[in-house]
Amino acid sequence: MSEDAKDADPSIGMKLFSAWFWFYLVASLTVFWFAVAIPWLLITPFDRRRRFSHWYAYTWANHLELMSLWRIQVEGGEHMREDTAYVLACNHQSSGDILTLFSLRKQFRWVAKRELFAVPFLGWMMAMAGYVGIKRGDPNSRKKMMAKCRRHLELGNSVAIFPEGTRSESGDIQPFKIGAFVLACEADAAVLPVLMEGTREALPRASFVFGVDALIYPIVRVLEPLHPADYGNDPERLRDATRAVMVRERAVLRAEIEGRGGFCVPPPYVAERAGSGRRRGRS
């Protein structure tokens, strides 16, 4: 994607599409919530991990991809084993990161701003799935958040955290806060670095208007886990090692994307899968 394309104002068509998409998101979320309310009441007493609620949340999120101009590609998903609970350390570039990470189709619980839980339907669904709220700058809220996250890890649920604390304005990975790594060391849970690229280009940080008037292929790349014991169960060492790996691997990922011509050009394996599907259809 050229710099001119990134700097250009969105077209009228893109503004109209964006308005339609956000309207559809709100409408579908409302419908999905009413559809799940009674099954949730029936299933939850037998579902301590809230697996059903999270499955329902990512099913709703994944269907939105079909209504958008995004075709999210997950790489390295095998590093996130179903029988292991991780602390996911994710970079943060856009409000689209949450929908993007749902493409993992794995059991995990978000740590999110507490204000989001007050949003009708969205907040209710987050609470139903057992996501964890935090009020920024409130030590008591942080303490409660850590306790809830430890409980999730004990139950076998991974926990997803943005250690940068907020979205990066430049797209570069910002300094990490220590909380996620204290949690990993206390719970003896591996940190799983997760990179997301393309969300900032598709949905700029301070805008609700999509930035690219074409199909775009954001990437979710799951890296190999880092184990606290390998860093002496020292949260600072674990934090620094995680960030160093993510900065290095993000540079590699960006080079790959630029090498194929930008986010609007699908990775080679997308074309290979499509070709394989066509061959199977003719056989």
Side-chain angles (χ1 to χ4, degrees):
M1 186 188 310
S2 69
E3 290 298 322
D4 291 340
K6 285 190 287 186
D7 293 338
D9 290 333
S11 65
I12 295 297
M14 198 74 264
K15 291 178 181 178
L16 291 173
F17 174 82
S18 300
W20 171 86
F21 177 84
W22 293 113
F23 170 80
Y24 180 84
L25 182 150
V26 172
S28 66
L29 178 60
T30 304
V31 171
F32 267 65
W33 187 86
F34 279 109
V36 78
I38 292 177
W40 180 83
L41 289 171
L42 296 174
I43 293 171
T44 297
F46 311 98
D47 183 17
R48 294 173 64 225
R49 292 179 58 187
R50 307 282 183 93
R51 291 174 62 89
F52 170 75
S53 302
H54 180 71
W55 169 84
Y56 200 81
Y58 74 63
T59 298
W60 166 74
N62 291 164
H63 109 278
L64 285 177
E65 181 186 353
L66 301 176
M67 304 299 162
S68 73
L69 295 175
W70 299 16
R71 294 298 178 264
I72 302 164
Q73 307 301 312
V74 176
E75 302 175 354
E78 68 277 4
H79 292 140
M80 189 174 179
R81 295 176 43 167
E82 296 285 357
D83 60 352
T84 304
Y86 303 92
V87 175
L88 275 61
C90 314
N91 67 318
H92 200 10
Q93 298 184 344
S94 164
S95 55
D97 290 340
I98 292 176
L99 293 178
T100 300
L101 197 60
F102 272 128
S103 295
L104 288 173
R105 296 178 172 86
K106 303 278 190 178
Q107 285 290 329
F108 61 87
R109 300 297 178 271
W110 291 104
V111 173
K113 293 183 295 185
R114 199 165 71 184
E115 307 91 87
L116 292 176
F117 289 81
V119 178
F121 301 109
L122 173 64
W124 303 342
M125 187 175 285
M126 292 171 64
M128 289 162 67
Y131 300 156
V132 181
I134 183 171
K135 182 178 180 180
R136 289 178 180 171
D138 184 337
N140 189 50
S141 177
R142 180 183 179 277
K143 183 178 179 180
K144 291 180 179 178
M145 178 273 290
M146 294 288 281
K148 290 178 180 178
C149 287
R150 284 194 295 270
R151 177 59 176 159
H152 274 303
L153 292 169
E154 291 169 0
L155 287 172
N157 293 330
S158 295
V159 175
I161 297 176
F162 295 118
E164 293 168 280
T166 189
R167 289 167 288 177
S168 170
E169 294 187 7
S170 66
D172 294 332
I173 296 177
Q174 304 302 299
F176 282 178
K177 299 181 183 299
I178 197 68
F181 309 97
V182 170
L183 175 65
C185 290
E186 290 181 350
D188 193 27
V191 172
L192 197 65
V194 180
L195 289 171
M196 288 178 282
E197 284 297 316
T199 57
R200 178 172 173 266
E201 285 77 4
L203 187 60
R205 184 179 190 271
S207 176
F208 286 99
V209 178
F210 291 100
V212 183
D213 193 1
L215 275 180
I216 187 171
Y217 295 84
I219 302 294
V220 180
R221 179 169 289 180
V222 184
L223 308 179
E224 293 186 9
L226 284 74
H227 299 275
D230 294 336
Y231 300 92
N233 290 303
D234 183 334
E236 292 188 358
R237 289 180 58 197
L238 182 59
R239 176 197 62 191
D240 295 345
T242 302
R243 185 177 182 276
V245 167
M246 293 179 70
V247 168
R248 183 185 72 232
E249 293 302 318
R250 179 177 182 265
V252 171
L253 179 55
R254 294 287 301 190
E256 292 175 4
I257 292 166
E258 292 170 6
R260 68 170 180 262
F263 289 102
C264 294
V265 180
Y269 54 76
V270 173
E272 291 171 4
R273 286 200 301 258
S276 176
R278 285 194 294 268
R279 287 193 294 273
R280 285 197 299 271
R282 289 196 297 268
S283 61

